[in-house]
């Protein structure tokens, strides 16, 4: 029997946490349910404790900080992570986890966007943001993940214990997806139902503020995980602009034998030089990244050997 841990990060979810815990008790009675309370100002922790969950307080604010502590603290074979807002049915979360239990995925994703998300969710900007993030990541990393930012996921021990959590807030889902793609973990997806929050329960996600953080995370991880592509793109743009600025100066020199626009010439040379420097940075950092990947693979082998 595999040891299953249900991970529920929470902040002010007193209206829904009881339903979430009881739902998982009915579907997976043998699972350990962990509720990590992130400085809630209501009775979330008290209700969770009364319902039999293992309650832990995480004082550092932000979902990323909660996930970091969960992954460090909890020992299990299969991890199921859902939000505490009762938007993901436990039976669907268990179906997601089955891919991990059967060895078909290191990280399994509950795909909301292919089912009921766009009809249940009442925040139109969230819908646009989900589509934008999905398109960006799939384009950059040449993947086809249907739901990048879902809060319903399942992991095996290998993924959890080797994932370096860097994000502090809601951008953690994006970071997990990109990390899995870059490190070539086996990713599975299961279409799940999504139900909007019940009346009185409010989302803590700010569309524009947290959306900006997600886009910033994508940019930073693109730079870190694909430096040659990132700096190569910058190099190409600088080089093209530099050439466009240089051509009129060069044509004028051919006709008259004089350089009439020295400032333009200096700018064009500066741009093309910057392009070469950017390209050189891309090659250097790409080599560093490959060495980092080699060390990561060695660490993964040691982790698997230790688990056996």
């Amino acid at each position: 029997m595999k040891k299953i841990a249900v991970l529920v990060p929470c902040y002010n979810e007193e209206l829904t946490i009881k339903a979430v815990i009881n739902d998982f008790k009915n579907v997976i009675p043998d699972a350990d349910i962990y509720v990590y309370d992130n400085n809630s100002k209501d009775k979330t922790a008290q209700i969770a404790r009364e319902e039999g969950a293992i309650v832990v307080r995480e004082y550092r604010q932000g979902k990323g900080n909660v996930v970091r502590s969960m992954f460090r603290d909890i020992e299990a074979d299969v991890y199921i992570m859902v939000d505490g807002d009762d938007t993901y049915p436990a039976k669907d979360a268990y179906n997601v986890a089955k891919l991990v239990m059967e060895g078909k995925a290191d990280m399994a994703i509950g795909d909301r966007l292919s089912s009921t998300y766009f009809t249940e969710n009442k925040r139109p900007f969230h819908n646009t943001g989900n589509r934008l993030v999905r398109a960006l990541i799939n384009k950059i990393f040449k993947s086809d993940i249907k739901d990048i930012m879902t809060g319903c996921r399942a992991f095996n021990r290998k993924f959890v214990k080797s994932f370096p959590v860097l994000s502090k807030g809601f951008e953690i889902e994006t970071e997990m997806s990109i990390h899995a793609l870059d490190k070539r973990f086996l990713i599975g997806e299961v279409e799940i139902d999504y139900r909007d929050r019940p009346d009185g329960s409010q989302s803590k996600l700010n569309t524009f503020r947290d959306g900006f953080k997600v886009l910033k995370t994508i940019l930073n991880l693109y730079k870190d995980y694909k430096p040659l592509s990132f700096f190569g793109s910058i190099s190409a743009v600088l080089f093209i602009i530099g050439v466009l600025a240089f051509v009129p100066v060069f044509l004028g020199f051919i006709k008259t034998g004089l350089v009439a626009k020295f400032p333009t010439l200096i700018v064009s040379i500066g741009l093309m030089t910057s392009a070469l420097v950017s390209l050189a940075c891309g090659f250097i950092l790409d080599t560093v990244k490959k060495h980092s990947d080699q060390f990561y693979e060695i660490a993964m082998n040691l982790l698997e050997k230790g688990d056996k």
Side-chain angles (χ1 to χ4, degrees), residues 97-150:
K98 281 181 179 179
L99 291 181
V100 176
M101 288 186 277
E102 294 169 0
K104 296 178 180 178
D106 297 306
M107 179 181 75
I109 294 171
D111 173 19
R112 313 159 297 167
L113 304 189
S114 299
S115 60
T116 57
Y117 182 80
F118 293 118
T119 55
E120 284 287 317
N121 181 45
K122 305 302 188 297
R123 296 158 291 181
F125 288 112
H126 284 215
N127 298 341
T128 303
N130 270 285
R131 289 190 178 102
L132 175 61
V133 170
R134 178 176 63 182
L136 277 175
I137 291 180
N138 284 334
K139 177 69 174 178
I140 292 171
F141 291 90
K142 296 179 175 59
S143 59
D144 188 29
I145 296 180
K146 301 295 189 300
D147 192 350
I148 299 292
M149 300 178 66
T150 179

Side-chain angles (χ1 to χ4, degrees), residues 23-39:
D23 197 11
F24 275 98
K25 278 184 175 180
N26 292 330
V27 175
I28 322 173
D30 295 330
D32 294 326
I33 302 175
Y34 294 84
V35 172
Y36 272 56
D37 179 56
N38 197 200
N39 301 312

Side-chain angles (χ1 to χ4, degrees), residues 125-126 129-130 132-133 136 149 170-171 174 205-218:
F125 288 112
H126 284 215
N130 270 285
L132 175 61
V133 170
L136 277 175
M149 300 178 66
F170 282 102
E171 60 272 25
T174 304
L205 183 64
N206 182 287
T207 302
F208 297 102
R209 184 190 65 235
D210 291 303
F212 175 77
K213 289 180 180 178
V214 169
L215 293 176
K216 183 180 177 183
T217 297
I218 293 173

Side-chain angles (χ1 to χ4, degrees), residues 164-181:
V165 180
L166 302 177
S167 300
K168 296 179 181 179
F170 282 102
E171 60 272 25
I172 182 64
E173 279 98 356
T174 304
E175 184 184 352
M176 284 190 285
S177 298
I178 293 177
H179 176 77
L181 288 169

Side-chain angles (χ1 to χ4, degrees), residues 60-260:
R60 292 167 296 184
Q61 198 66 39
K63 187 174 182 180
N65 289 323
V66 176
V67 172
R68 180 186 296 107
S69 293
M70 285 177 159
F71 283 8
R72 287 179 179 176
D73 298 346
I74 299 171
E75 299 294 333
D77 300 308
V78 178
Y79 300 77
I80 301 173
M81 187 171 74
V82 295
D83 296 332
D85 54 11
D86 196 28
T87 53
Y88 303 104
K91 62 180 179 60
D92 287 356
Y94 184 63
N95 288 334
V96 173
K98 281 181 179 179
L99 291 181
V100 176
M101 288 186 277
E102 294 169 0
K104 296 178 180 178
D106 297 306
M107 179 181 75
I109 294 171
D111 173 19
R112 313 159 297 167
L113 304 189
S114 299
S115 60
T116 57
Y117 182 80
F118 293 118
T119 55
E120 284 287 317
N121 181 45
K122 305 302 188 297
R123 296 158 291 181
F125 288 112
H126 284 215
N127 298 341
T128 303
N130 270 285
R131 289 190 178 102
L132 175 61
V133 170
R134 178 176 63 182
L136 277 175
I137 291 180
N138 284 334
K139 177 69 174 178
I140 292 171
F141 291 90
K142 296 179 175 59
S143 59
D144 188 29
I145 296 180
K146 301 295 189 300
D147 192 350
I148 299 292
M149 300 178 66
T150 179
C152 178
R153 297 171 186 262
F155 319 92
N156 60 17
R157 176 180 170 80
K158 179 174 65 174
F159 183 92
V160 166
K161 296 305 179 182
S162 66
F163 174 45
V165 180
L166 302 177
S167 300
K168 296 179 181 179
F170 282 102
E171 60 272 25
I172 182 64
E173 279 98 356
T174 304
E175 184 184 352
M176 284 190 285
S177 298
I178 293 177
H179 176 77
L181 288 169
D182 180 71
K183 294 300 184 286
R184 292 173 292 183
F185 279 105
L186 189 58
I187 302 174
E189 288 188 279
V190 175
E191 188 174 312
I192 63 171
D193 287 333
Y194 175 88
R195 55 197 179 205
D196 206 6
R197 285 172 170 269
D199 293 338
S201 177
Q202 296 183 356
S203 172
K204 288 76 183 175
L205 183 64
N206 182 287
T207 302
F208 297 102
R209 184 190 65 235
D210 291 303
F212 175 77
K213 289 180 180 178
V214 169
L215 293 176
K216 183 180 177 183
T217 297
I218 293 173
L219 184 65
N220 285 332
L221 294 177
Y222 178 33
K223 170 179 63 68
D224 293 341
Y225 288 151
K226 290 185 174 292
L228 184 56
S229 174
F230 180 84
F231 287 100
S233 300
I234 295 175
S235 175
V237 172
L238 292 174
F239 186 77
I240 290 171
I241 296 174
V243 169
L244 292 175
F246 177 75
V247 168
V249 178
F250 181 71
L251 292 177
F253 175 77
I254 294 296
K255 291 179 180 179
T256 65
L258 299 173
V259 178

